[in-house]
Amino acid sequence: MTRTFRDGYMGMPPEDASRTQLTGLHTTQDAYGVKVDDTLNPIVNFYGDTVPTDDCLFWYDPNLDGVISGSTVKNGIDPNNASQNGTWSSTPSTGTDSGKTYWDISTHRLDVGPSNGYGFTTGTSNAFTVFTNFKRDSMTNSQWILFDYDGTFDGSSSTDRGIFCHLWSDSRLYFDTNADGGAYNRTYTGSVLSTNTWYTLILTQSGGTKSIYLNNSSKSTTSSNSNRTSLTLGSAVGKLGCPYGTSVDSKFTVFGAYNKVLNSTERQALHNAISV
């Protein structure tokens, strides 16, 4: 699915007044053969037009113009969809590094839209990418994304971890998915993280097959319960930053997802865009 930015095109003909003629088109160039300006797409406006946006489901980012109002953060790929607005449990402080703005997160949690409300393909045909860019200030036990399996967050690994990722105290990355009420599919790296270092993190899954890319370098992983290949997401809101538990104690510049496994060209373009 391609997100569409339809409002405000220059030279829009009268028959497009209903805004129905541009469905499925991403840019003014797609529509009329002449690229005018894609400032209505805040992601392209900030990162440039090489960043992949096709099949992007969400992009929460302090760098994007017009997406933040107080404790509210709009989904940069669909900023007019109020049902996907995120709300901070408490608003984190921000800073800048190499031209990128970051959220400085400890126990701050960004509650976003319903886990099953973004368009992730579920079941055994699932294929998705989630990503972030972060720097660890200390190696505390923490997480950065939690999309729920059964509609209720109850602290149980086997009923919460539809899509879940740890940044753990052992310097490893843990990618847990496909909770089914009895167990979940886990993939994890060796000790690969250091403090005070920026990393892009891109996680992909297709069915029960996973990959973890750190600074766009594929990491060696170990897996368990890989027979859990079906993704189910419930109606509970997605949680980003510090979903629960101990302090994350890390800085983040972006949280995002795609409803596909990014190919190598797309991964490189995403890494180049969001890295600090």
Side-chain angles (χ1 to χ4, degrees):
M1 177 179 67
T2 301
R3 295 287 187 176
T4 304
F5 295 86
R6 295 192 290 267
D7 297 332
Y9 291 109
M10 295 176 62
M12 180 180 289
E15 60 268 27
D16 283 344
S18 66
R19 303 177 184 175
T20 60
Q21 302 300 311
L22 301 182
T23 301
L25 301 176
H26 174 62
T27 67
T28 52
Q29 187 171 9
D30 293 332
Y32 302 114
V34 177
K35 185 173 179 65
V36 179
D37 188 1
D38 279 315
T39 54
L40 291 173
N41 182 335
I43 300 167
V44 172
N45 190 36
F46 183 79
Y47 290 102
D49 59 9
T50 60
V51 66
T53 54
D54 286 353
D55 297 300
C56 186
L57 300 179
F58 65 80
W59 189 301
Y60 296 98
D61 187 330
N63 291 281
L64 306 186
D65 290 338
V67 300
I68 297 176
S69 177
S71 62
T72 298
V73 185
K74 296 179 181 180
N75 180 0
I77 197 68
D78 200 2
N80 294 321
N81 187 347
S83 70
Q84 295 179 356
N85 286 355
T87 303
W88 286 109
S89 57
S90 58
T91 306
S93 61
T94 60
T96 59
D97 193 336
S98 302
K100 299 281 175 58
T101 299
Y102 58 78
W103 286 305
D104 195 353
I105 295 177
S106 55
T107 58
H108 312 85
R109 186 186 71 248
L110 186 66
D111 292 335
V112 295
S115 297
N116 61 4
Y118 284 88
F120 284 101
T121 298
T122 53
T124 57
S125 297
N126 69 81
F128 67 87
T129 301
V130 293
F131 67 91
T132 189
N133 183 59
F134 69 95
K135 180 170 74 171
R136 304 230 64 191
D137 294 326
S138 65
M139 292 296 179
T140 58
N141 294 343
S142 58
Q143 318 84 33
W144 69 271
I145 184 170
L146 175 57
F147 274 58
D148 181 61
Y149 153 71
D150 64 353
T152 303
F153 289 111
D154 56 15
S156 169
S157 301
S158 61
T159 59
D160 282 351
R161 298 181 183 185
I163 300 173
F164 186 72
C165 183
H166 301 66
L167 305 174
W168 219 236
S169 59
D170 56 9
S171 303
R172 296 177 177 178
L173 292 162
Y174 293 82
F175 183 22
D176 299 340
T177 60
N178 300 353
D180 60 8
Y184 56 89
N185 180 319
R186 164 166 285 184
T187 295
Y188 62 95
T189 68
S191 297
V192 294
L193 299 179
S194 301
T195 57
N196 301 312
T197 301
W198 283 104
Y199 298 99
T200 62
L201 175 60
I202 301 174
L203 310 171
T204 67
Q205 173 173 293
S206 178
T209 302
K210 298 177 180 175
S211 295
I212 298 177
Y213 300 91
L214 198 63
N215 288 337
N216 202 33
S217 174
S218 179
K219 311 311 293 184
S220 297
T221 60
T222 302
S223 296
S224 60
N225 291 327
S226 56
N227 61 313
R228 261 72 179 185
T229 62
S230 183
L231 175 67
T232 301
L233 296 173
S235 59
V237 298
K239 298 176 183 289
L240 304 169
C242 184
Y244 59 79
T246 56
S247 170
V248 173
D249 197 21
S250 299
K251 297 174 173 64
F252 294 86
T253 66
V254 62
F255 303 110
Y258 296 86
N259 193 40
K260 65 179 179 180
V261 173
L262 295 185
N263 63 36
S264 59
T265 300
E266 292 169 323
R267 280 199 325 272
Q268 187 64 58
L270 178 63
H271 165 77
N272 291 347
I274 67 174
S275 62
V276 173

